[in-house]
Amino acid sequence: MNKKLITLTFLMIIGGLNSILSQQSVASTQYFFFDYLFNPSLSGMKQYNNLNLNYSRQWLGFESSPSQICVGYDFTNNKNKNGFGVSFQNEDQAGSYKQNSLGFNYSKHITLSENTKLSAGFGVIFKQMIGDYTNLILPDQSDPTFNMGRESNGIIDGTFGINYTKNNFRVGISSLNINESKLVTGNNSSNISQFNPFKRQFYLNSSYSIAVKNKVDFYSNALFKLLNKDFFFSSIVILAKIKETFLLGVGNRIYSTTASKQNSVIYNNSTFSFFMGIEKKSLSVTFNYDISNNILFPSSELTLGYKFIETPSRKGSSSLKNIKTRLRIFGKKGHWWDPFF
């Protein structure tokens, strides 16, 4: 099939759903590795510094299908009172539209009791949109989504979130694109402002972990998003860690829209995910395979992870007062995917 026609077909799809589906802030099925992207208060919540690299590919077997690369690193100080996060995302949609995002987070951790913690955080997001539609043949030349030929625009926006943790339970709320991209620069900034795909978003996240006879650990994660009154997104993931080495799990994601206007697009999709992974010391590899009920082509993701664990200043001492800020290359055995480790 002609690549140009494939690209055109795909772009016509995202043109109709541009404002609600193709610009999802949580496009990854393995978003739990990058939870601080949608809730900055989760930055540095672990006792170790966390580095992850994710690659996802939608619609396997479909030429020029969308892909995404995400690199994230969150870390904390030696007493875990302040958290920081930095991330970079690159989204490539059929080669004709690309989006780069660079984010910086800060969070403040407040210990309420021995097993209870409250955190609040904010972040700044820099987004760059690059489009080249000169080689497309459009049936509607007046379509404002593509008629500019080439575009390169930048947007600065912010995020905010709070989180409550007690023992192995966690719940938080957050908001992304707080300013709704009012600060826009570039050669087509007026068009981006008029057809702004980055609307304000609200999230509710929760997770819980439990150990069974020290052989299997279960971790559940739930995420709900309300972009506006006409859009709903939910994701539920259940993972099992076997003998601190092997990872198996299942997940479900639901996208749903309703018609707010006469020409609005109604869309409903449910995706089922299957996870498998392995951890060796501080290294981890996690893979998932997604199947949707109304999309013929499956999707997949691969995440490579590494954790840096701080070591006590004296042997045999585990007191936080004696922990240095230096990082060791190989960390102790632990739950790489467990946010409460």
Side-chain angles (χ1 to χ4, degrees):
M1 185 179 294
N2 187 286
K3 183 176 181 179
K4 184 183 295 184
L5 293 178
I6 294 176
T7 303
L8 172 60
T9 302
F10 170 73
L11 287 176
M12 292 302 292
I13 294 174
I14 68 169
L17 304 176
N18 185 53
S19 63
I20 51 177
L21 296 177
S22 63
Q23 303 297 342
Q24 293 305 316
S25 296
V26 183
S28 170
T29 302
Q30 298 184 31
Y31 60 87
F32 44 86
F33 285 118
F34 305 90
D35 50 11
Y36 51 91
L37 295 185
F38 59 84
N39 191 334
S41 68
L42 298 175
S43 301
M45 283 292 289
K46 308 175 183 66
Q47 293 291 341
Y48 53 83
N49 296 346
N50 197 18
L51 174 65
N52 289 295
L53 169 62
N54 172 273
Y55 175 78
S56 62
R57 190 86 185 189
Q58 299 182 39
W59 307 349
L60 298 177
F62 189 88
E63 187 179 356
S64 301
S65 61
S67 64
Q68 175 180 270
I69 296 176
C70 181
V71 181
Y73 182 58
D74 74 310
F75 54 98
T76 182
N77 62 347
N78 57 350
K79 294 185 179 181
N80 196 232
K81 292 185 176 181
N82 300 285
F84 307 88
V86 59
S87 62
F88 173 79
Q89 298 180 73
N90 171 264
E91 299 178 36
D92 187 346
Q93 299 182 356
S96 294
Y97 179 83
K98 296 181 181 180
Q99 177 182 308
N100 298 317
S101 301
L102 181 63
F104 299 94
N105 293 345
Y106 169 77
S107 64
K108 182 65 177 179
H109 307 160
I110 303 173
T111 300
L112 302 178
S113 64
E114 182 179 358
N115 298 317
T116 306
K117 181 175 291 187
L118 180 68
S119 63
F122 65 90
V124 179
I125 304 175
F126 303 88
K127 297 182 181 180
Q128 179 190 35
M129 293 79 67
I130 303 173
D132 184 358
Y133 314 116
T134 56
N135 294 325
L136 297 179
I137 302 175
L138 300 174
D140 183 5
Q141 298 299 325
S142 64
D143 189 335
T145 307
F146 309 113
N147 66 3
M148 73 288 295
R150 290 187 176 92
E151 65 169 333
S152 179
N153 298 283
I155 290 178
I156 301 177
D157 217 319
T159 65
F160 175 78
I162 59 176
N163 181 78
Y164 174 80
T165 300
K166 183 175 180 60
N167 295 322
N168 291 345
F169 173 75
R170 185 181 70 188
V171 62
I173 57 175
S174 59
S175 178
L176 273 65
N177 304 324
I178 297 175
N179 197 44
E180 292 195 332
S181 306
K182 297 295 190 304
L183 187 57
V184 182
T185 61
N187 64 358
N188 194 44
S189 58
S190 61
N191 185 71
I192 290 294
S193 299
Q194 182 180 359
F195 301 97
N196 177 19
F198 306 106
K199 301 297 183 180
R200 188 177 297 119
Q201 304 169 20
F202 300 94
Y203 290 89
L204 171 66
N205 62 277
S206 181
S207 62
Y208 183 76
S209 63
I210 184 173
V212 180
K213 294 183 179 180
N214 296 323
K215 293 183 178 180
V216 180
D217 296 326
F218 290 97
Y219 169 60
S220 62
N221 191 94
L223 177 66
F224 302 93
K225 181 173 75 168
L226 183 64
L227 180 62
N228 53 47
K229 65 179 180 179
D230 305 306
F231 177 86
F232 178 77
F233 163 82
S234 68
S235 178
I236 297 177
V237 174
I238 299 177
L239 302 173
K241 190 69 174 296
I242 305 172
K243 295 183 178 180
E244 297 187 349
T245 302
F246 303 102
L247 178 68
L248 296 174
V250 294
N252 174 249
R253 294 162 63 90
I254 297 176
Y255 297 89
S256 178
T257 67
T258 58
S260 59
K261 299 179 182 179
Q262 185 176 2
N263 59 347
S264 296
V265 177
I266 300 177
Y267 182 82
N268 290 280
N269 182 46
S270 181
T271 298
F272 298 92
S273 305
F274 304 91
F275 297 85
M276 60 183 300
I278 188 170
E279 173 189 327
K280 186 66 175 179
K281 294 184 177 179
S282 289
L283 292 170
S284 71
V285 180
T286 307
F287 175 81
N288 73 270
Y289 189 80
D290 298 344
I291 302 175
S292 300
N293 65 340
N294 61 1
I295 298 179
L296 296 178
F297 301 93
S299 303
S300 66
E301 288 187 35
L302 180 68
T303 298
L304 303 178
Y306 191 89
K307 62 182 179 182
F308 301 86
I309 297 183
E310 297 176 335
T311 56
S313 58
R314 297 194 304 270
K315 291 184 177 180
S317 174
S318 59
S319 173
L320 289 176
K321 296 182 179 179
N322 296 323
I323 292 181
K324 293 183 178 180
T325 57
R326 63 185 176 88
L327 305 174
R328 57 184 296 175
I329 296 177
F330 294 102
K332 301 176 183 178
K333 288 185 177 181
H335 306 288
W336 169 256
W337 51 272
D338 189 346
F340 305 107
F341 172 71

